[in-house]
Amino acid sequence: MQKKILGPIFCIAFSLSIQAQDKVLPAELKPYVLQGYEMLDVAKGDLNGDNLLDYILILKTKGEDTLTFDNAEWEAARPLLLIIRQPGGGLKSVASNTGLILCRQCGSAMGDPYMGMAIKKNEFSVEAYGGSSWRWSETVTFRYDKLKKNWYLQKQTINSFQAGDPETTTTNAVIDRTEIGAISLSEYSPGYNTDTSKWKVNVAKTFFYESPNLKSTPKKAYLLKDDMVKVYKAFRNFIECSFNNSKGNITTGYILRKDLVKTGESK
C-alpha cells in the first residue's frame, strides 16, 4: 500500500521545488507573450522528432497572484503555446490550449494546482494536484502524431485519496488513447468525452473497474440488471460512472460499455 500514496506526496515535493525556481523568459519568446499576460512556466525540448529544440510556453494573467475572488479574472485561463523551431532556425507558434493548465484557484484548499511540465522526444506531460479532504493528482500526456502532424492526448493518469485514510481509499486510474480516441491539443478540455445520457445495466451482473482497461482486473464492487448509473464520461469500451445505493453509499469507477444501455438524455 505504501507505493500507492507516494504519488500525491511526490507531487507536493515537486510543487515546492518548481516554485523555488526562478525561470527567465528566453528573449526569443518575448514576441509570443500575449498582451496582458506574463510567463508562468517555460520548457525546452524536441516536441516533433526533428532533432530541433522547441518550446512550451505557459502564460498567466499579469498580477494573477494578487487577484481576489471578487475580480473577474479570479479564475482566468492560462494559455499554453507550442512554439516549434523551424528548419531555418526561427520559431513558429503551431498549437495552443486554454483548458489544459488549470486556473490558480482550481486546486481548492491545496492552492495553485499547477505542478509543472516535462518534455520527452515527441511528447510532453503536465501535472496538477489539488483537493481538500479528498485529494487528487493527475498527469496529462500529449504525443506528436507524425502522420497527422499534430499532438494528441495520449494518456491521462488520475490518482485520488482521502487525506485521513490514504491507505484504503487511494485509487489510480490510467486512461490511454485507445479508450480516449483522437483528441488534439487544441480540442482538449478537462470535460473531454463528457456524456450526459442516462444509462442502466442490461446484464445480470457487471463489475466496476479502477481503470478503463480491458486487460485489468475488475474490483469487487458490482451492479445488477436495471441499476441506473450517473454517467460522467463515455470511452470506447468503458463508461465512467457512479452508483448511489439505498444506504446512500456511492461507488465510482468504470463499467464495460457493452454491459450498459443508454435510456435517454439527462435533464
Side-chain angles (χ1 to χ4, degrees):
M1 299 300 296
Q2 185 178 7
K3 290 184 179 180
K4 298 182 76 174
I5 63 174
L6 285 178
I9 293 174
F10 171 78
C11 283
I12 297 172
F14 185 44
S15 175
L16 295 175
S17 70
I18 67 164
Q19 289 174 11
Q21 296 176 6
D22 186 17
K23 292 189 176 181
V24 176
L25 178 70
E28 62 181 341
L29 291 186
K30 289 182 179 179
Y32 298 95
V33 178
L34 305 175
Q35 186 174 0
Y37 289 86
E38 59 189 0
M39 184 188 77
L40 171 64
D41 200 1
V42 65
K44 181 188 289 188
D46 183 3
L47 290 168
N48 59 354
D50 62 0
N51 296 316
L52 299 176
L53 291 180
D54 312 305
Y55 288 105
I56 298 178
L57 176 63
I58 301 174
L59 303 175
K60 64 177 181 178
T61 301
K62 284 184 177 179
E64 176 191 77
D65 298 346
T66 62
L67 296 177
T68 56
F69 71 91
D70 56 344
N71 191 295
E73 299 293 325
W74 171 254
E75 295 183 342
R78 292 165 154 182
L80 178 147
L81 287 71
L82 296 193
I83 302 171
I84 303 302
R85 183 78 59 185
Q86 303 301 296
L91 295 172
K92 182 180 181 180
S93 179
V94 299
S96 64
N97 183 280
T98 57
L100 178 58
I101 308 302
L102 300 178
C103 72
R104 183 172 179 268
Q105 312 304 326
C106 294
S108 188
M110 300 308 296
D112 190 342
Y114 178 66
M115 295 289 102
M117 59 178 162
I119 296 178
K120 296 197 304 185
K121 193 168 186 176
N122 291 318
E123 71 176 41
F124 69 94
S125 298
V126 172
E127 296 190 40
Y129 175 76
S132 185
S133 60
W134 274 96
R135 310 284 173 82
W136 56 266
S137 66
E138 73 170 14
T139 301
V140 181
T141 300
F142 284 82
R143 182 173 296 171
Y144 184 66
D145 186 317
K146 291 185 178 181
L147 292 178
K148 297 184 178 181
K149 299 185 182 303
N150 205 344
W151 290 261
Y152 288 87
L153 179 58
Q154 183 67 23
K155 183 172 66 173
Q156 182 179 21
T157 302
I158 307 169
N159 303 306
S160 66
F161 69 100
Q162 214 289 328
D165 186 18
E167 290 193 0
T168 61
T169 61
T170 298
T171 62
N172 303 276
V174 179
I175 314 169
D176 62 29
R177 187 172 171 180
T178 59
E179 285 294 330
I180 294 168
I183 297 178
S184 68
L185 175 63
S186 60
E187 296 170 330
Y188 173 86
S189 74
Y192 76 91
N193 285 5
T194 294
D195 191 289
T196 60
S197 307
K198 294 181 179 179
W199 296 72
K200 72 175 181 178
V201 179
N202 68 339
V203 293
K205 179 187 288 189
T206 187
F207 289 85
F208 278 96
Y209 288 72
E210 191 165 289
S211 289
N213 187 325
L214 292 173
K215 296 182 180 180
S216 63
T217 302
K219 301 193 292 186
K220 293 181 179 180
Y222 62 87
L223 299 179
L224 300 175
K225 187 174 177 61
D226 292 332
D227 281 340
M228 298 293 298
V229 296
K230 180 178 180 179
V231 174
Y232 304 107
K233 291 186 176 184
F235 298 99
R236 180 181 179 185
N237 295 296
F238 287 86
I239 298 293
E240 182 183 5
C241 59
S242 65
F243 177 74
N244 193 344
N245 68 16
S246 59
K247 296 180 180 180
N249 299 318
I250 300 175
T251 302
T252 301
Y254 301 86
I255 288 180
L256 286 167
R257 186 171 184 143
K258 67 180 181 63
D259 291 347
L260 299 172
V261 61
K262 187 184 295 187
T263 63
E265 297 295 325
S266 297
K267 295 182 179 180

